[in-house]
Amino acid sequence: MTDSDYMQHALALARLAEVAGEVPVGAVVVKDGEIIGRGFNAPISRHDPTAHAEVQALRDAAERIGNYRLVDCELFVTLEPCLMCAGAMMHARIARVVYGASDFKTGACGSVLSVFAEQRLNHHTSVQGGVLAEECSAMLSNFFAQRRAQQKTQ
């Protein structure tokens, strides 16, 4: 499968988050061409500020392989990871993160911060952004436009 194929899986998970009333972000963890972890945003429903899509996918993958170290794994996510998620990926030893839409408010993979480029840190994950960026961005933009429209009618 290609990066776009994995991002399509992440987009499908983002749709599940949207249906649940969460910000539509989805993520998958891939090892040796197989999806081993899946997650979507759930901080509202779980009452958990750490329940971002990436953290959910990391937890799922770690449980599946029986190890918190996800060496040689890649993480695909529809929105550029925040600082918390980038830190979790670093601790998990994710080899590569691929994201769709840039996040110019909290992005920690180049838009606001460049965590993985910090040479003083002990692990460096490679980063690629912009995979299916238009589709990922449109999903988020539509979600927030609908939310604003609902707030105006209340």
Side-chain angles (χ1 to χ4, degrees):
M1 285 205 292
T2 67
D3 288 356
S4 293
D5 294 327
Y6 293 122
M7 192 63 72
Q8 286 292 349
H9 284 278
L11 279 162
L13 290 163
R15 288 182 197 95
L16 294 176
E18 184 173 27
V19 167
E22 302 276 357
V23 175
V25 179
V28 296
V29 175
V30 175
K31 183 173 177 72
D32 299 327
E34 178 187 348
I35 295 174
I36 63 165
R38 293 169 176 80
F40 58 85
N41 263 6
I44 297 167
S45 60
R46 291 184 181 236
H47 310 288
D48 179 357
T50 70
H52 288 194
E54 300 96 320
V55 172
Q56 301 291 81
L58 291 170
R59 288 175 178 159
D60 187 38
E63 182 71 26
R64 186 165 292 173
I65 68 168
N67 193 337
Y68 76 104
R69 296 283 197 214
L70 301 172
V71 177
D72 297 326
C73 291
E74 300 172 300
L75 189 142
F76 294 79
V77 60
T78 57
L79 180 64
E80 180 181 354
C82 70
L83 183 59
M84 175 187 71
C85 293
M89 287 180 232
M90 187 180 320
H91 286 291
R93 303 297 192 259
I94 292 291
R96 178 174 174 243
V97 61
V98 178
Y99 67 87
S102 295
D103 185 343
F104 298 106
K105 294 183 179 180
T106 64
C109 296
S111 292
V112 177
L113 300 170
S114 295
V115 172
F116 297 119
E118 176 53 61
Q119 292 303 309
R120 293 175 290 180
L121 296 173
N122 68 334
H123 179 75
H124 300 96
T125 298
S126 69
V127 177
Q128 180 182 346
V131 174
L132 299 183
E134 288 182 24
E135 191 172 345
C136 294
S137 295
M139 181 180 285
L140 289 157
S141 295
N142 292 338
F143 173 81
F144 287 112
Q146 287 176 357
R147 184 172 272 183
R148 285 189 297 275
Q150 288 171 349
Q151 289 174 346
K152 285 182 182 179
T153 61
Q154 293 176 348

